[in-house]
Structure formats: C-alpha cells, structure tokens
Amino acid sequence: MSDHQKRFEAITQKLRDHHHKITPQRLAIAKILSKSIGHPSVEDIHAEIKIDFPTMSLATVYRNIVLIKSLGEVLEIGFPDGRNRYDGKRPYPHPHVICIKCKKIVDPDLDSLDDMKSEVESETHFKILNHRLDFFGICTDCMSEKE
Ligand code: ZN
Ligand code: MN
C-alpha cells in the first residue's frame, strides 16, 4: 500500500470510528488530503473537488476539513492572512520551509529536531507536547526568476 493510500485508510477509518457518514464528497476530500500535494489551501482543495462535484461549496469543503482536523488527521499550517494550508500526509507536527514569494511549502527532513525538543525541555522544564517550526525564504524557482 502506498503512503497516500495508508493515509486515506487512516482518515476514513477515523471518520467511521467516530460515526461520521461516509459520503462520496467526504471520500473525495479525504483522498485529496491524503496526498496533500504542495500543502493545499481550502481554495485549492475546493478547486480540485469541483471537477467531480461541481455543486459542492467552499463552506462544505471547509467544514469537512475542520472535521478531519478535529480527528487529528490533518495538520493545519496557519497564516495571519487566513490563507491556511493543510497537510494530511503528515498530520503530526513537523517543520516547514515556506517561500515568501510564491508561497510554496516543503517538508524538510531534519534529524536534529528530537535533540531540539529535549534541549527545550531541559532548559525550560516544560513538557513539550507540540511545536511549530517554520523557515521562511525564497525558493530556487523564485530565485532564478529575478534578473
Ligand atoms: Zn517561490
Ligand atoms: Mn508538511
């Protein structure tokens, strides 16, 4: 089973476990979230879903994402401008690298993160439950565009 199939199964199983109706629309949203190509926004997901479900509203897509988020099956990457992005492929906290020009978001693989967590815990005596770590910069595509 591929990673996105595993994620799709996990999301739909969680919906079933919590006795939420499994509708074709809901399955389509779960499928898009399980891939989360490029960390889509609600608008991106809505645009993709409209191909198969032309009457589905943005509000319905949003409600379903809020539901799946409440089940812990999608990570929300919040932004002050309200254009939040979503990662249902990796629903747990992880760092992101964000291009300030084109808003591309990628997942870096960092080995040092576990060390950082224990360092923060030993320094502050907090029990760390969660983290948010974003790196902002300019991606290679945007860099090569400047004259
Ligand atoms: Zn860029
Ligand atoms: Mn991510």
Side-chain angles (χ1 to χ4, degrees), residues 28-136:
I29 291 172
K31 194 174 216 172
I32 296 169
L33 284 177
S34 70
K35 293 180 188 165
S36 286
I37 298 163
H39 299 83
S41 64
V42 178
E43 288 81 1
D44 294 332
I45 296 164
H46 184 230
E48 198 175 334
I49 214 102
K50 275 209 306 196
I51 299 167
D52 291 319
F53 301 95
T55 59
M56 194 157 173
S57 71
L58 184 65
T60 304
V61 175
Y62 183 72
R63 266 200 310 276
N64 277 282
I65 292 169
V66 168
L67 170 66
I68 294 167
K69 189 186 140 197
S70 76
L71 302 172
E73 292 298 332
V74 66
L75 178 76
E76 183 176 66
I77 308 149
F79 289 97
D81 69 2
R83 228 183 132 80
N84 295 344
R85 307 274 289 268
Y86 295 88
D87 193 343
K89 194 170 146 192
R90 298 177 173 190
Y92 46 84
H94 61 276
H96 287 105
V97 186
I98 300 159
C99 177
I100 58 165
K101 290 201 160 182
C102 68
K103 312 294 181 198
K104 183 185 295 161
I105 302 181
V106 302
D107 290 342
D109 274 317
L110 298 179
D111 297 328
S112 52
L113 202 63
D114 287 340
D115 295 344
M116 202 186 281
K117 187 183 162 222
S118 32
E119 208 177 316
V120 171
E121 283 184 334
S122 67
E123 198 181 305
T124 62
H125 307 293
F126 274 49
K127 176 173 172 46
I128 300 302
L129 304 171
N130 207 338
H131 71 263
R132 177 172 177 177
L133 185 56
D134 295 332
F135 297 86
F136 294 90

Side-chain angles (χ1 to χ4, degrees), residues 99 101-102 104 138-147:
C99 177
K101 290 201 160 182
C102 68
K104 183 185 295 161
I138 299 164
C139 73
T140 50
D141 289 342
C142 289
M143 264 193 297
S144 62
E145 262 172 36
K146 73 169 186 219
E147 55 274 51

